[in-house]
C-alpha cells in the first residue's frame, strides 16, 4: 500500500555477468522491464564500443525489413499481426536471419528490375501502337478528302508561287517524324516548333484517351501522339532537338500503309507476349511478398530486440580478464528477487555454469522515481508527471487526484445531461478497450481521448452527481420530490405570472430543506441567479480551503518520512495555523451563519439579523468594530467573537516572521553544533594538520558538503530562499483562496450558456404545432444537439478540465510537492517496440 502513495524504493546494484551468458541475461531483463542501466562508458565514442559491429548488422537487417514493408504496403497486402511476442533470437540465429533477408531483398530487387524493364518495353510498344493507329487515321482522312498526304502537306508549308516555281525543278520531298509527348506539354511544344522553325513545319496531334503507366514511378500519365512534317535535313535536325528537349519519345513510322499495317500486327503480337510475361512476373512478386508479409511483424520484433540488447551491452564494462561484463543499474527493492530469477533463467538458457552476481551498492546519488501504475491509474499519474516528476520517495498526489480531480471538474461542469454524454462515451471506450487499443489509430486527438478514458469516465460520473445537487439537466430541473413551495406556486400561479420572485421569508416556503439538491421551482424564479451565486460562491471557498489544508497535511507525511522534524516546527505548524486561523475561520463563520440564521425574524428576542461574512472577515483583518445594520440588535454571531477574532489574527500574523527566521536560525544552530563536535573530536585525537602537514578531510565534503566559506554562502542563499517561500506562501494563501472562485464562475457560466442554448434554439422548435412544427423541431433539435456536444460538452469540458488541472498543479500540489525528480526508464522490450512502432507509423 505504501508504494501507492510514494514512489518505489530503489537501489543501485552492480551486476557481474559472464560474457557467454550476458546476451541471454540481458534478454530476460528486457522482457521483465524492471532494470535501468547506467552508461559506464560515457567517454567512449559510439563507434569504438565492443558490440558496434553487431549493432550495424541489426541496422542493416532493419533497413532490409523496411524495404520489404514498403513493397508490401505498395501492393496493399495485409501484414499478419498475430499479437505474438517472440523472444530475442540467440546470437547464432542472426546469421540465418541475415541470410533470409538478403535472399528476399535480392530476389525482390531482381523481380522489380525485370518488371520495370518489361513495363518500359510494354509502354514503348503501347505508344507505338497508338502512333500507328493515329497516323493511319490521319492519312486516311487525307485520302478520303481526295488529296495525296504529301501534296497536302506541301501546300500547307509552301505558298502557291513557290509551288509553281518548284514544279519546274521537280517534286518536293517532305519528311516527317512521329512520337509521343505528355499532354500538358503540347501548347509549349507547338509554340517552340513554330518559333524555332519559323512556321516551316506542320504539326498534327491527337490525344491518347486511356492513361499510361510510368514504369519508374507507377503513376498514371496522359499523353498525346504527334506527327511533324518538314522539308530538308536542317529542319529535321532542329525538330529532333526540340523533341528531345521536351522529352518527347520518337518512334519509326513507315510511309506506306501496308508497312504500317504489318508493323501494327507485329506490335500487337509482342504486346500480347509481354502481357503474359508481365502477369507471370507480378504473380511471382506477389507470392514473394505474401510469404514475407506473414512473418515481417515477428521479424521486426526479433531484430529490434537484438539491437536493443547489443545497445545495452555497449553500456557495460569489461573486466581485466575480458571474460566478465560489469554493469550498474537501478532496480526496485521489491523486485530484486524477480530480477535474480530472470538472471538465473538467462544463465540456464546460455548453458553457462557461472551464476550472475547482483550486489547492492551505496550511493549519494538521487535514485530515479518509479510509480507503479495500471490502466486505471496511468492517466492520473500522467497528469501529475506533466507538471514534474516527483522527487524520490516524495508523496505522490496521483491517488488523491483520482477523487479530487473529477470532483472539482464536476463542480464547474455540473449538469446531469452533459455529464451523462461524457459518461456514456467514456464507458463505451472502457468496454471496447481491447479492440480499440489494438487498432492503434494515427489520430492524435483520438489517442488523447482513449488514453484518458478512465478520467473522462469519472468526470462524467461526478458531473451527473453535481448535476443532481444543482438540479440541472440540459438547463432544466428534475421534479422528483415535488416542490416545497407547492402551496402558493402551483401550475395556475406559474402560468399566470410574467415573473416569479421566491421569498423564503414568508408562508410560501415550508421552512424545511429540500431532500436532495435544489428545489425545481428555482429554475423558474427571476432571483435564481442571486440565490445560486451566493450558494456556489460559498461552496467554492469551502472546497478550496479544505483542499489546501489537505495539501499542507500531506506535506506532513513528507517531513515525517524524511525525518525532517525541524520542518514540522518551522514550516508545517505555522503554515497550518496561518491558513486555519484566517481562512478556515471564515469557513466556520459561513457554517455558523447557515445553521443559526434563517429567513424569518425571531419576534420574541427582537430582530435577529444575519451579518455579512465578508464584511466580518474584512473587519477582523483590519481590527475594526462590526457595525450592525439598522434595526438589528447585534452584528456578532456568538459571544466573545470580537476577542477571539483578534487573538486569531495576532497569532496568524506572528506566524509570518516565525516562518521567515525560524528555519535559517535552526540551520545555523545545527551547523555550529556540528563544528563544535568536530573541533572537540579533532582536539582529543591530536592536531592532524600540525603533525602531518595536511588538513583532515571534512566528512561533510564526502556527502557533497563544503568548507566553511561554502557554508556561509549557502546560509545567505537559505535566508533568501526562506524569504521568498514565506512571501509566496502568505500571498499565495490569499490568491489561491480567490482562485477557487473559478469553481463558482465556470459553474455559473456553464449553466447560463446551457439555458441560453435551450431558450434560443430548442424552445423555438417546441413552440410550433402541426407538420411545420415537426419540421422545425427536427431542425432545432439537430442544431441544439450539435451545439450541445460541440460547445457545452467539448469546449466547456476542455475549459473546466484545464481549470481543474491548474487548481491541482498550483493551489494543491504547491503545498507539498516539489517535482524535481527524474523518471525511472527501465530497459524494456515493450517500451522499445511501442516507440519503434509509433516512429514507423509517423
Amino acid at each position: 500500500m505504501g508504494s501507492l502513495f510514494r514512489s518505489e524504493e530503489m537501489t543501485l546494484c552492480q551486476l557481474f555477468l559472464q560474457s557467454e551468458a550476458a546476451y541471454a541475461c540481458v534478454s530476460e531483463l528486457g522482457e521483465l522491464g524492471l532494470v535501468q542501466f547506467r552508461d559506464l562508458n560515457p567517454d567512449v565514442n559510439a563507434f569504438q564500443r565492443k558490440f558496434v559491429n553487431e549493432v550495424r548488422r541489426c541496422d542493416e537487417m532493419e533497413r532490409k525489413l523496411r524495404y520489404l514493408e514498403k513493397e508490401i504496403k505498395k501492393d496493399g497486402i495485409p501484414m499478419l499481426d498475430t499479437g505474438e511476442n517472440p523472444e530475442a533470437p540467440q546470437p547464432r540465429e542472426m546469421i540465418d536471419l541475415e541470410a533470409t533477408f538478403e535472399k528476399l531483398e535480392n530476389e525482390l530487387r531482381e523481380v522489380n528490375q525485370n518488371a520495370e524493364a518489361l513495363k518500359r518495353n510494354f509502354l514503348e510498344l503501347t505508344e507505338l501502337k497508338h502512333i500507328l493507329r493515329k497516323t493511319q487515321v490521319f492519312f486516311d482522312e487525307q485520302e478520303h478528302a481526295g488529296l495525296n498526304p504529301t501534296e497536302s502537306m506541301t501546300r500547307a508549308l509552301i505558298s502557291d508561287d513557290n509551288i509553281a516555281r518548284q514544279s519546274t525543278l521537280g517534286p518536293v520531298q517532305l519528311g516527317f517524324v512521329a512520337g509521343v509527348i505528355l499532354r500538358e506539354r503540347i501548347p509549349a511544344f507547338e509554340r517552340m516548333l513554330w518559333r524555332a522553325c519559323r512556321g516551316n513545319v506542320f504539326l498534327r496531334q491527337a490525344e491518347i484517351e486511356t492513361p499510361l503507366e510510368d514504369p519508374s514511378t507507377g503513376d498514371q500519365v496522359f499523353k498525346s501522339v504527334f506527327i511533324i512534317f518538314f522539308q530538308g535535313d536542317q529542319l529535321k535536325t532542329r525538330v529532333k532537338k526540340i523533341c528531345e528537349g521536351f522529352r518527347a519519345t520518337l518512334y519509326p513510322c513507315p510511309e506506306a500503309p501496308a508497312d504500317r499495317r504489318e508493323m501494327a500486327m507485329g506490335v500487337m503480337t509482342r504486346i500480347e507476349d509481354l502481357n503474359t510475361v508481365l502477369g507471370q512476373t507480378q504473380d511471382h512478386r506477389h507470392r514473394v511478398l505474401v510469404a514475407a508479409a506473414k512473418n515481417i511483424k515477428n521479424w521486426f520484433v526479433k531484430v529490434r530486440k537484438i539491437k536493443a540488447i547489443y545497445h545495452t551491452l555497449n553500456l557495460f564494462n569489461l573486466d581485466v580478464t575480458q571474460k566478465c561484463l560489469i554493469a550498474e543499474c537501478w532496480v526496485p527493492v521489491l523486485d530484486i528477487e524477480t530480477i535474480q530469477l530472470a538472471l538465473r533463467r538467462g544463465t540456464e538458457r546460455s548453458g553457462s555454469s557461472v551464476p550472475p552476481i547482483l550486489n547492492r551498492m551505496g550511493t549519494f546519488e538521487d535514485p530515479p522515481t518509479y510509480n507503479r501504475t495500471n490502466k486505471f491509474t496511468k492517466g492520473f499519474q500522467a497528469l501529475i508527471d506533466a507538471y514534474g516528476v516527483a522527487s524520490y520517495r516524495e508523496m505522490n498526489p496521483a491517488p488523491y487526484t483520482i477523487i479530487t480531480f473529477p470532483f472539482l471538474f464536476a463542480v464547474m461542469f455540473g449538469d446531469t445531461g452533459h455529464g451523462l454524454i461524457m459518461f456514456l462515451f467514456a464507458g463505451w471506450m472502457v468496454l471496447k478497450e481491447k479492440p480499440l487499443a489494438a487498432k492503434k489509430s494515427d489520430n492524435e486527438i483520438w489517442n488523447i481521448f482513449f488514453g484518458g478514458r478512465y478520467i473522462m469516465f469519472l468526470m462524467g460520473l461526478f458531473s451527473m452527481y453535481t448535476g443532481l445537487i444543482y438540479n440541472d439537466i440540459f438547463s432544466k430541473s428534475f421534479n422528483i420530490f415535488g416542490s416545497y413551495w407547492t402551496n402558493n406556486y402551483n401550475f395556475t400561479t406559474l402560468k399566470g405570472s410574467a415573473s416569479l420572485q421566491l421569498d423564503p421569508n414568508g408562508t410560501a416556503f415550508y421552512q424545511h430543506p429540500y431532500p436532495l439538491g435544489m428545489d425545481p421551482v428555482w429554475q423558474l424564479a427571476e432571483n435564481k441567479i442571486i440565490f445560486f451565486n451566493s450558494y456556489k460562491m460559498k461552496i467554492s471557498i469551502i472546497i478550496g480551503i479544505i483542499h489546501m489544508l489537505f495539501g499542507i497535511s500531506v506535506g506532513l507525511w513528507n517531513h515525517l518520512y524524511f525525518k525532517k522534524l525541524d520542518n514540522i516546527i518551522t514550516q508545517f505548524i505555522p503554515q497550518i495555523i496561518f491558513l486555519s486561523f484566517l481562512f478556515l475561520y471564515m469557513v466556520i463563520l459561513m457554517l455558523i451563519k447557515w445553521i443559526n440564521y434563517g429567513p424569518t425574524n425571531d419576534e420574541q428576542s427582537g430582530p435577529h439579523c444575519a451579518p455579512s461574512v465578508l464584511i466580518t472577515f474584512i473587519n477582523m483583518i483590519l481590527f475594526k468594530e462590526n457595525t450592525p445594520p439598522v434595526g438589528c440588535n447585534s452584528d456578532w454571531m456568538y459571544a466573545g467573537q470580537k476577542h477571539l477574532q483578534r487573538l486569531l489574527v495576532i497569532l496568524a500574523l506572528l506566524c509570518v516572521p516565525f516562518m521567515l527566521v525560524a528555519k535559517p536560525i535552526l540551520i545555523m544552530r545545527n551547523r555550529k553544533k556540528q563544528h563544535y563536535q568536530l573541533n572537540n573530536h579533532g582536539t582529543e585525537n591530536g592536531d592532524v594538520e600540525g603533525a602531518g602537514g595536511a588538513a583532515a578531510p571534512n566528512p561533510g565534503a564526502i556527502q557533497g558538503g563544503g568548507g566553511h566559506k561554502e557554508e556561509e554562502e549557502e546560509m545567505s542563499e537559505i535566508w533568501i530562499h526562506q524569504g521568498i517561500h514565506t512571501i509566496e506562501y502568505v500571498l499565495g494563501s490569499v490568491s489561491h483562496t480567490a482562485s477557487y472562485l473559478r469553481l463558482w464562475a465556470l459553474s455559473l457560466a456553464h449553466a447560463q450558456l446551457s439555458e441560453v442554448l435551450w431558450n434560443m434554439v430548442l424552445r423555438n422548435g417546441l413552440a410550433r404545432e402541426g407538420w411545420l412544427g415537426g419540421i422545425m423541431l427536427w431542425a432545432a433539435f439537430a442544431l441544439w444537439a450539435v451545439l450541445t456536444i460541440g460547445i457545452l460538452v467539448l469546449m466547456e469540458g476542455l475549459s473546466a478540465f484545464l481549470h481543474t488541472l491548474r487548481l491541482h498543479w498550483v493551489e494543491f500540489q504547491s503545498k507539498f510537492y516539489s517535482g524535481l525528480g527524474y523518471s525511472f526508464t527501465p530497459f524494456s522490450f515493450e517500451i522499445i517496440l511501442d516507440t519503434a512502432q509509433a516512429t514507423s507509423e509517423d
Side-chain angles (χ1 to χ4, degrees):
M1 182 61 70
S3 62
L4 178 65
F5 298 99
R6 295 186 186 276
S7 59
E8 290 285 335
E9 187 177 355
M10 308 294 292
T11 182
L12 183 63
C13 292
Q14 195 172 34
L15 179 61
F16 296 88
L17 298 173
Q18 190 183 10
S19 297
E20 292 78 7
Y23 181 92
C25 290
V26 172
S27 175
E28 290 292 336
L29 294 179
E31 298 289 350
L32 199 60
L34 290 172
V35 177
Q36 177 179 332
F37 291 100
R38 300 173 66 187
D39 190 0
L40 300 183
N41 308 297
D43 300 327
V44 179
N45 192 292
F47 300 101
Q48 296 175 346
R49 304 205 176 192
K50 179 175 177 57
F51 301 98
V52 64
N53 292 329
E54 285 78 2
V55 173
R56 286 176 175 172
R57 289 167 62 189
C58 292
D59 286 336
E60 181 64 17
M61 287 192 291
E62 202 169 6
R63 182 195 62 79
K64 293 174 182 177
L65 286 177
R66 286 196 299 268
Y67 172 72
L68 289 174
E69 184 183 35
K70 177 184 175 183
E71 295 297 320
I72 290 170
K73 288 181 178 179
K74 183 188 294 184
D75 280 20
I77 300 173
M79 289 178 284
L80 182 63
D81 189 2
T82 59
E84 297 179 2
N85 186 19
E87 295 183 351
Q90 295 298 320
R92 57 180 176 272
E93 297 180 29
M94 281 183 64
I95 301 174
D96 298 335
L97 289 175
E98 285 178 317
T100 302
F101 300 158
E102 183 73 21
K103 178 183 176 183
L104 282 173
E105 185 191 28
N106 291 338
E107 185 175 3
L108 194 58
R109 287 191 183 278
E110 184 178 355
V111 170
N112 287 343
Q113 290 174 359
N114 293 337
E116 184 176 350
L118 291 172
K119 286 181 180 179
R120 195 174 299 280
N121 198 356
F122 179 80
L123 176 65
E124 293 174 355
L125 292 173
T126 304
E127 291 177 347
L128 181 57
K129 178 188 71 173
H130 285 290
I131 285 175
L132 294 173
R133 287 182 179 178
K134 298 296 183 181
T135 53
Q136 184 64 38
V137 170
F138 169 69
F139 286 125
D140 290 344
E141 289 176 355
Q142 298 296 326
E143 290 178 358
H144 287 315
L147 296 173
N148 187 315
T150 305
E151 183 180 352
S152 64
M153 293 306 103
T154 303
R155 291 186 178 277
L157 293 174
I158 306 174
S159 63
D160 294 338
D161 296 338
N162 289 334
I163 291 175
R165 192 179 304 113
Q166 290 289 343
S167 61
T168 59
L169 300 176
V172 177
Q173 296 295 328
L174 288 182
F176 67 90
V177 293
V180 176
I181 191 172
L182 290 174
R183 189 177 297 178
E184 60 267 18
R185 295 178 181 172
I186 284 290
F189 184 59
E190 287 187 25
R191 288 194 297 270
M192 181 58 69
L193 281 172
W194 178 261
R195 293 172 180 173
C197 301
R198 299 182 181 179
N200 292 322
V201 296
F202 186 82
L203 172 68
R204 288 290 302 271
Q205 61 91 15
E207 296 179 353
I208 301 175
E209 293 79 6
T210 58
L212 303 177
E213 182 182 356
D214 190 340
S216 300
T217 61
D219 298 333
Q220 299 291 326
V221 295
F222 289 90
K223 294 188 176 183
S224 295
V225 173
F226 65 87
I227 183 170
I228 304 172
F229 291 89
F230 51 83
Q231 181 185 9
D233 293 337
Q234 186 176 2
L235 281 179
K236 179 179 180 180
T237 303
R238 193 174 298 176
V239 167
K240 286 185 175 181
K241 286 184 178 180
I242 295 173
C243 293
E244 182 180 355
F246 279 87
R247 295 185 181 179
T249 308
L250 299 178
Y251 292 95
C253 181
E255 295 185 9
D259 295 340
R260 286 197 297 270
R261 283 192 293 269
E262 183 179 354
M263 180 180 285
M265 292 175 60
V267 167
M268 293 301 297
T269 304
R270 292 174 61 188
I271 287 177
E272 291 176 0
D273 295 340
L274 273 178
N275 272 327
T276 304
V277 176
L278 268 174
Q280 294 174 353
T281 305
Q282 292 295 337
D283 290 342
H284 177 63
R285 181 178 186 274
H286 188 76
R287 286 194 299 270
V288 172
L289 293 177
V290 168
K294 294 178 181 178
N295 301 310
I296 192 165
K297 292 287 186 182
N298 288 341
W299 286 340
F300 265 120
V301 172
K302 290 180 179 180
V303 171
R304 284 166 179 165
K305 284 187 175 182
I306 297 172
K307 184 179 177 181
I309 291 172
Y310 283 118
H311 265 301
T312 304
L313 290 175
N314 277 331
L315 305 178
F316 294 5
N317 260 341
L318 278 170
D319 70 337
V320 291
T321 63
Q322 302 288 317
K323 293 182 179 180
C324 180
L325 289 171
I326 305 172
E328 291 182 4
C329 54
W330 292 105
V331 298
V333 173
L334 295 177
D335 296 317
I336 289 181
E337 186 176 349
T338 306
I339 293 168
Q340 289 175 338
L341 290 175
L343 291 172
R344 197 173 298 128
R345 287 196 304 269
T347 305
E348 293 172 356
R349 279 179 53 193
S350 64
S352 174
S353 59
V354 181
I357 301 173
L358 186 67
N359 292 330
R360 296 182 64 172
M361 300 172 58
T363 179
F364 292 107
E365 184 179 348
D366 291 332
T369 301
Y370 175 43
N371 294 300
R372 293 185 193 270
T373 58
N374 52 35
K375 62 182 180 181
F376 177 74
T377 60
K378 184 178 181 180
F380 294 97
Q381 189 65 55
L383 292 179
I384 302 302
D385 292 342
Y387 174 80
V389 179
S391 302
Y392 177 64
R393 300 294 287 167
E394 187 179 25
M395 287 294 290
N396 182 20
Y400 318 111
T401 305
I402 295 174
I403 299 299
T404 60
F405 191 92
F407 177 72
L408 293 182
F409 172 87
V411 172
M412 293 182 277
F413 195 74
D415 189 294
T416 303
H418 302 152
L420 181 62
I421 295 173
M422 187 178 295
F423 175 80
L424 293 176
F425 176 65
W428 171 77
M429 287 193 292
V430 171
L431 292 176
K432 300 291 184 180
E433 188 175 78
K434 291 184 179 179
L436 291 175
K439 289 183 179 179
K440 294 180 180 178
S441 173
D442 296 336
N443 192 328
E444 191 67 27
I445 297 178
W446 166 255
N447 291 335
I448 293 174
F449 278 132
F450 183 73
R453 59 193 179 278
Y454 288 102
I455 302 176
M456 293 175 58
F457 183 82
L458 289 182
M459 290 193 306
L461 186 64
F462 279 60
S463 297
M464 292 168 62
Y465 166 73
T466 53
L468 288 175
I469 298 299
Y470 297 156
N471 205 352
D472 197 358
I473 173 170
F474 297 123
S475 78
K476 296 301 167 187
S477 295
F478 288 113
N479 192 11
I480 302 174
F481 305 101
S483 175
Y484 276 33
W485 304 74
T486 309
N487 286 345
N488 287 26
Y489 299 106
N490 53 27
F491 180 76
T492 305
T493 304
L494 297 176
K495 189 174 182 180
S497 302
S499 62
L500 177 65
Q501 291 281 342
L502 296 183
D503 183 10
N505 188 12
T507 59
F509 183 46
Y510 283 169
Q511 303 299 326
H512 293 292
Y514 199 70
L516 179 65
M518 296 293 178
D519 195 300
V521 78
W522 280 107
Q523 191 64 237
L524 306 172
E526 292 293 327
N527 57 337
K528 176 185 71 171
I529 295 180
I530 299 174
F531 174 73
F532 272 72
N533 272 356
S534 176
Y535 167 74
K536 292 184 178 180
M537 192 189 315
K538 291 181 175 64
I539 287 294
S540 301
I541 295 297
I542 293 172
I543 292 173
I545 297 299
I546 295 174
H547 199 212
M548 289 191 292
L549 284 172
F550 178 66
I552 297 175
S553 302
V554 172
L556 174 63
W557 296 104
N558 276 335
H559 303 322
L560 292 174
Y561 178 81
F562 293 111
K563 297 180 180 179
K564 296 181 178 180
L565 302 181
D566 295 343
N567 287 350
I568 298 177
I569 300 173
T570 60
Q571 290 185 12
F572 172 74
I573 293 178
Q575 286 179 359
I576 204 79
I577 289 175
F578 182 83
L579 194 63
S580 300
F581 284 9
L582 294 181
F583 299 100
L584 182 60
Y585 177 73
M586 181 175 62
V587 171
I588 295 173
L589 290 180
M590 295 178 190
L591 298 177
I592 292 175
K593 182 177 179 179
W594 283 346
I595 294 171
N596 291 342
Y597 295 87
T600 59
N601 294 329
D602 187 355
E603 297 179 356
Q604 296 179 357
S605 60
H608 199 57
C609 303
S612 170
V613 174
L614 180 61
I615 299 300
T616 301
F617 182 73
I618 293 174
N619 290 335
M620 168 186 167
I621 300 297
L622 299 177
F623 292 96
K624 291 177 62 177
E625 295 285 344
N626 285 351
T627 304
V630 179
C632 295
N633 295 336
S634 174
D635 201 28
W636 300 110
M637 295 185 182
Y638 57 88
Q641 181 181 356
K642 172 183 177 182
H643 303 291
L644 178 62
Q645 288 183 169
R646 290 188 175 182
L647 176 63
L648 294 178
V649 174
I650 292 172
L651 292 176
L653 292 178
L654 287 176
C655 291
V656 178
F658 183 80
M659 284 187 290
L660 188 64
V661 301
K663 184 175 181 179
I665 291 175
L666 199 58
I667 292 175
M668 292 173 63
R669 180 183 175 186
N670 291 337
R671 287 183 175 177
K672 287 181 179 179
K673 185 177 180 180
Q674 290 176 1
H675 282 297
Y676 177 76
Q677 293 175 351
L678 289 174
N679 291 334
N680 287 344
H681 180 74
T683 304
E684 292 173 2
N685 293 293
D687 189 357
V688 179
E689 184 176 359
N698 183 6
I702 299 175
Q703 300 183 10
H708 182 69
K709 184 178 180 180
E710 294 179 354
E711 290 179 358
E712 289 181 352
E713 293 175 354
E714 289 179 357
M715 280 306 306
S716 63
E717 293 179 0
I718 289 174
W719 280 101
I720 294 173
H721 290 165
Q722 190 63 25
I724 293 173
H725 292 163
T726 303
I727 296 172
E728 182 184 7
Y729 178 79
V730 173
L731 297 181
S733 298
V734 181
S735 63
H736 291 176
T737 303
S739 182
Y740 279 92
L741 290 174
R742 70 185 69 236
L743 299 175
W744 153 62
L746 264 75
S747 175
L748 179 66
H750 186 82
Q752 291 300 304
L753 190 59
S754 179
E755 186 174 351
V756 168
L757 191 60
W758 178 281
N759 292 332
M760 298 188 66
V761 180
L762 193 57
R763 188 176 181 179
N764 294 330
L766 295 169
R768 297 292 183 92
E769 297 181 357
W771 64 270
L772 181 60
I775 296 175
M776 289 189 63
L777 178 60
W778 175 83
F781 178 79
L783 180 60
W784 175 82
V786 170
L787 294 177
T788 296
I789 295 175
I791 296 178
L792 294 179
V793 176
L794 291 178
M795 294 181 63
E796 283 283 313
L798 178 61
S799 175
F801 178 89
L802 295 176
H803 283 282
T804 308
L805 197 61
R806 181 241 152 78
L807 289 177
H808 280 79
W809 281 358
V810 179
E811 278 72 24
F812 174 61
Q813 291 178 197
S814 63
K815 303 296 185 293
F816 66 95
Y817 188 74
S818 60
L820 299 177
Y822 63 100
S823 295
F824 175 63
T825 53
F827 170 61
S828 171
F829 286 146
E830 182 180 359
I831 298 175
I832 292 170
L833 294 175
D834 289 344
T835 304
Q837 181 69 21
T839 304
S840 62
E841 289 176 357
D842 292 341

